[in-house]
Amino acid sequence: MRIDIITIFPEMFEGPFTESIIKRGIQKGLVEIHLHNLRDYSNDKHKRVDDYAFSSGAGMVMMIEPVDNCISKLKSEREYDEVIYMSPDGELLTQPLANQMSLYNNIIILCGHYKGIDERIREHLITKEISIGNYVLSGGELGAAVLTDSLVRLIPGVLSDETSALSDSFQSGLVSPPVYTRPREYKGWNVPEVLLSGNDMIINEWKLNQAIERTKERRPEMYEILKKNNSNNL
Ligand code: SAH
């Protein structure tokens, strides 16, 4: 997968993309991430990428031209599955959406700033808008990093078997059961006896029941969907 990120703050990605799973995906050659500094695509002598909104007191808005220049250049080099804009009013990022998007080959992610981007960019250049939650961030960079992480970990070969994404929360419509490690007892806090039994069948049944109980308690709306589909014989 190739991900092209358009941003005015490329340095913001240094932390998230140079550690852990994303770093491993890049090193294994399973994902390529290219950061594009929007200012490099501005024809303005001060490299401006924003201007005043056409309404008083509304703040600054990202201009069309630099964004169009950058997207047009990228599109002239390869085909893209989607040109994404990170936006608080976009489609909410969920595991099913991440699963679906992880099959893409090439995507562009545009990070907004200030009051947002000129609406005509959204109308003419953007094909998908994604929100990471119903709250407002200062810029699209953190959202783009979240989206990228959620996609990269699903690319086959990025995670090792033990950390397989298939057993994570939301993959089967359930949240994850609790997990434990050594020691068996700490300050009188014990690991559930069943996990020490060595009986895989009983352990798996316990894990499924725990996942169902947690889902019922913490994500009642997900539990209702499960019940409707009766996917786990509830
Ligand atoms: N005035 C806009 C918010 C702009 S915030 C509004 O009220 O809708 C500046 C930028 O941060 C946006 O252009 C967007 O790219 C990014 N952003 C803010 N919140 C986000 C969210 N929840 N998900 C994804 N991107 C977000």
Side-chain angles (χ1 to χ4, degrees):
M1 179 188 266
R2 176 182 168 122
I3 304 176
D4 288 277
I5 299 179
I6 306 173
T7 168
I8 52 171
F9 294 119
E11 300 80 19
M12 277 186 78
F13 293 92
E14 247 161 49
F17 290 177
T18 52
E19 298 293 339
S20 184
I21 306 287
I22 296 189
K23 175 181 168 187
R24 203 188 311 160
I26 294 170
Q27 280 174 346
K28 285 186 174 175
L30 298 168
V31 63
E32 267 181 49
I33 302 176
H34 298 267
L35 299 171
H36 305 277
N37 190 334
L38 189 59
R39 294 191 195 283
D40 296 341
Y41 295 86
S42 167
N43 293 329
D44 179 85
K45 65 173 186 292
H46 302 295
K47 299 283 169 213
R48 278 186 64 170
V49 293
D50 60 311
D51 209 337
Y52 295 98
F54 273 123
S55 55
S56 57
M60 305 304 282
V61 174
M62 282 169 69
M63 296 188 291
I64 305 176
E65 196 184 37
V67 174
D68 187 27
N69 289 345
C70 184
I71 292 177
S72 299
K73 178 174 178 279
L74 290 172
K75 280 199 199 158
S76 72
E77 291 164 354
R78 70 197 60 76
E79 294 262 317
Y80 283 92
D81 297 286
E82 300 282 7
V83 181
I84 298 158
Y85 170 51
M86 299 309 300
S87 181
D89 62 3
E91 183 177 351
L92 275 181
L93 179 60
T94 58
Q95 194 59 50
L97 180 58
N99 291 349
Q100 187 195 323
M101 291 179 67
S102 70
L103 303 174
Y104 291 154
N105 293 320
N106 301 319
I107 55 172
I108 293 174
I109 306 177
L110 172 64
C111 306
H113 257 277
Y114 317 114
K115 266 296 177 193
I117 62 175
D118 190 306
E119 186 65 20
R120 291 166 291 178
I121 300 174
R122 300 173 73 168
E123 281 168 16
H124 299 284
L125 300 173
I126 298 298
T127 61
K128 198 175 190 68
E129 301 188 331
I130 294 183
S131 165
I132 63 159
N134 288 337
Y135 42 79
V136 177
L137 302 166
S138 319
E141 285 72 15
L142 293 175
V146 168
L147 173 62
T148 301
D149 187 299
S150 76
L151 301 183
V152 170
R153 65 199 308 285
L154 294 171
I155 298 171
V158 171
L159 295 184
S160 57
D161 275 352
E162 313 94 80
T163 50
S164 161
L166 291 176
S167 60
D168 283 332
S169 286
F170 310 118
Q171 282 297 6
S172 50
L174 290 168
V175 301
S176 207
V179 289
Y180 298 86
T181 184
R182 284 181 293 182
R184 287 166 172 225
E185 184 265 315
Y186 179 81
K187 290 185 179 173
W189 309 338
N190 291 309
V191 170
E193 210 45 53
V194 56
L195 294 178
L196 310 173
S197 68
N199 184 329
D200 277 347
M201 219 177 75
I202 296 178
I203 291 177
N204 287 336
E205 199 181 309
W206 179 86
K207 281 163 75 175
L208 178 60
N209 283 331
Q210 288 283 319
I212 294 170
E213 279 312 306
R214 287 204 161 192
T215 308
K216 202 166 159 184
E217 189 186 300
R218 296 170 187 218
R219 292 289 184 276
E221 69 294 345
M222 258 168 77
Y223 182 74
E224 285 310 312
I225 295 171
L226 270 182
K227 236 173 45 184
K228 224 188 267 163
N229 302 335
N230 203 23
S231 27
N232 284 288
N233 297 319
L234 303 178

